[in-house]
Amino acid sequence: MSGSALSPKRVIPYGRQDITDDDVAAVEAVLRSDFLTTGPMVPAFEAEIRAATGADHAVAVNSATSALHIACLALGLGPGDWLWTSPNSFVASANCGLYCGAKVDFVDVGPATWNMCAVKLAEKLEATPAEKHPKVVVPVAFGGRCADLAAIRILADRYGFFVLEDASHAIGGEYMGRAVGAGTYADISVFSFHPVKIVTTAEGGACVTNSAKLAEKMQLYRSHGVTRDERLMRGESDGPWYYQQVDLGLNYRMTDLQAALGISQMKRISAFIKRRRALVARYDAALLDLPVQCPVGDDDSSQSAWHLYPIMVEASVRRRVFEGMRAAGVLVNVHYIPIHTQPYYREMGFQPGDFPEAERYYAGAISLPMFPALTDTDQDYVIETLAGLLA
Ligand SMILES: *Cc1c(COP(=O)(O)O)cnc(C)c1O
């Protein structure tokens, strides 16, 4: 009997977590321990992140969205200030400015990396009156490849803004010979540990920085603005039971369950990135003769963590190709709908046409499956399906 009628249809997601028995055991051990949250695992996970990035300080929180928020608070962003980011990102890259009561604007992307263009940033700074200059600029490491941070740092020093890198896609990547997050160019970098990202804690995020002052502030904002550190208190401590609220913070704490999963996942980060790079090489070779624009490859200055493998097809065929892939069980996705075209942002006055390169990219964008557990066989099926639809 032919098995084809009975076998379930092949379904390949665009991204997914890779969980081993060791990961499960690490979480189970915490469940059976004294501390489910804010025990020994969170600082141990932070130590892993410091080791992996070379940053002096790491602050783990419950999501990258929370990480972006407390980073903006620590940088002093508030009402009357401006935050500029890339329109080609998830909405969280911009919303963090709004949480702080600041205004948000965008800098268009470049046509090869689809990252914030440093030339356009320079032009926009030049054309903007000083009182509307940004306090914080948020370049996004789209797909895992850093933006032109060296050029953005020069502008930051000239114009006096902070660089808050949204590196949600990029832990494990490199830039200018150092790990993403090392802090040579950005004041703070933020990672996400959502299941589709490079390593996961289910939900989770972290901020890294080389500034002790910024790290101290982010630790306060992560947990109610409350401290037990006498150095941070106003006046004298009442005694060993005492804590003080010295600022208005939030509860953005990561649990020990999440941190234990993160520690276990970090042991495999090199293997994850290696597998992603192998998949990239196979896509690059296979798509060479197809009418698609592939993501720009790694070079001396930048080695992506390859969270995504986004391609651009002709805008006129995008819907047909997307639907054809989905119908074949390949759950392709689109990253990203330009943030300024979202209804919430259009109500602030943004319009289609404001950032044409991000919109041109979006019109043809399709993210192909990219995750460490994707097999060569399944990847071949993705490629054959795509080639069939473009023939
Ligand atoms: C995933 C993501 C976020 C948000 O991450 P969470 O951990 O889900 O809050 C922010 N920015 C970018 C670019 C992302 O891809």
Side-chain angles (χ1 to χ4, degrees):
M1 190 175 89
S2 154
S4 62
L6 292 173
S7 60
K9 200 179 99 186
R10 169 146 48 179
V11 173
I12 305 172
Y14 88 90
R16 70 163 280 146
Q17 67 276 15
D18 183 286
I19 300 293
T20 61
D21 289 348
D22 283 350
D23 292 337
V24 174
V27 175
E28 190 183 341
V30 173
L31 267 176
R32 296 183 192 285
S33 77
D34 291 339
F35 298 99
L36 300 188
T37 192
T38 322
M41 291 301 158
V42 169
F45 182 44
E46 290 171 339
E48 290 294 331
I49 297 168
R50 287 199 304 274
T53 58
D56 290 340
H57 307 277
V59 180
V61 289
N62 59 357
S63 73
T65 304
S66 302
L68 288 163
H69 185 191
I70 61 169
C72 286
L73 289 173
L75 293 170
L77 191 73
D81 294 329
W82 284 88
L83 176 147
W84 291 3
T85 188
S86 165
N88 180 35
S89 187
F90 186 55
V91 292
S93 306
N95 288 345
C96 56
L98 303 181
Y99 296 156
C100 298
K103 295 196 186 102
V104 168
D105 202 352
F106 301 92
V107 180
D108 207 357
V109 299
T113 61
W114 308 312
N115 266 329
M116 178 188 284
C117 170
V119 174
K120 288 176 188 157
L121 173 60
E123 287 167 359
K124 191 176 174 98
L125 287 161
E126 187 65 37
T128 302
E131 67 274 13
K132 288 184 155 188
H133 277 170
K135 183 166 205 168
V136 177
V137 171
V138 182
V140 178
F142 177 65
R145 181 189 172 95
C146 288
D148 192 355
L149 294 180
I152 293 170
R153 181 77 251 167
I154 290 169
L155 294 168
D157 293 340
R158 186 179 307 156
Y159 288 92
F161 58 80
F162 296 108
V163 180
L164 167 54
E165 183 188 24
D166 185 345
S168 286
H169 301 178
I171 194 166
E174 287 181 37
Y175 180 73
M176 299 292 186
R178 297 194 67 192
V180 174
T184 315
Y185 302 98
D187 296 285
I188 300 172
S189 295
V190 161
F191 302 120
S192 172
F193 307 121
H194 180 278
V196 295
K197 307 285 165 76
I198 305 295
V199 293
T200 190
T201 61
E203 297 280 359
C207 308
V208 290
T209 182
N210 289 336
S211 159
K213 208 171 184 68
L214 289 174
E216 201 165 73
K217 286 185 180 169
M218 292 190 290
Q219 278 153 7
L220 269 179
Y221 287 123
R222 160 174 73 178
S223 192
H224 308 281
V226 157
T227 184
R228 288 180 180 278
D229 184 343
E230 286 191 34
R231 291 177 307 122
L232 302 178
M233 291 184 186
R234 319 263 162 80
E236 292 288 294
S237 166
D238 283 358
W241 61 87
Y242 193 59
Y243 61 81
Q244 244 184 21
Q245 182 182 347
V246 295
D247 208 329
L248 183 63
L250 302 123
N251 178 356
Y252 281 170
R253 294 188 302 262
M254 176 176 271
T255 68
D256 260 32
L257 293 165
Q258 293 167 304
L261 178 55
I263 293 166
S264 184
Q265 288 261 307
M266 287 298 280
K267 295 190 175 126
R268 306 205 299 291
I269 188 169
S270 302
F272 288 158
I273 302 279
K274 195 171 163 218
R275 178 61 188 155
R276 287 175 180 275
R277 287 184 179 148
L279 292 166
V280 168
R282 295 183 90 252
Y283 272 139
D284 284 349
L287 303 189
L288 210 54
D289 296 327
L290 296 183
V292 303
Q293 182 182 332
C294 290
V296 67
D298 290 343
D299 50 41
D300 285 348
S301 69
S302 194
Q303 286 97 51
S304 176
W306 292 106
H307 162 55
L308 298 175
Y309 192 89
I311 61 167
M312 231 179 112
V313 299
E314 278 296 329
S316 59
V317 303
R318 197 268 299 269
R319 176 182 287 269
R320 186 176 60 73
V321 172
F322 185 94
E323 288 176 347
M325 297 293 278
R326 285 264 172 129
V330 182
L331 303 187
V332 288
N333 221 316
V334 169
H335 301 90
Y336 283 101
I337 302 157
I339 301 172
H340 68 282
T341 67
Q342 296 287 354
Y344 192 79
Y345 280 84
R346 286 177 70 166
E347 278 166 20
M348 287 171 219
F350 294 106
Q351 287 174 20
D354 284 351
F355 303 98
E357 203 63 53
E359 293 169 37
R360 193 180 74 85
Y361 161 68
Y362 164 63
I366 297 180
S367 295
L368 299 181
M370 171 56 68
F371 52 96
L374 180 65
T375 62
D376 286 2
T377 313
D378 278 356
Q379 190 187 25
D380 289 342
Y381 174 73
V382 172
I383 293 162
E384 282 159 26
T385 308
L386 179 67
L389 288 162
L390 289 170

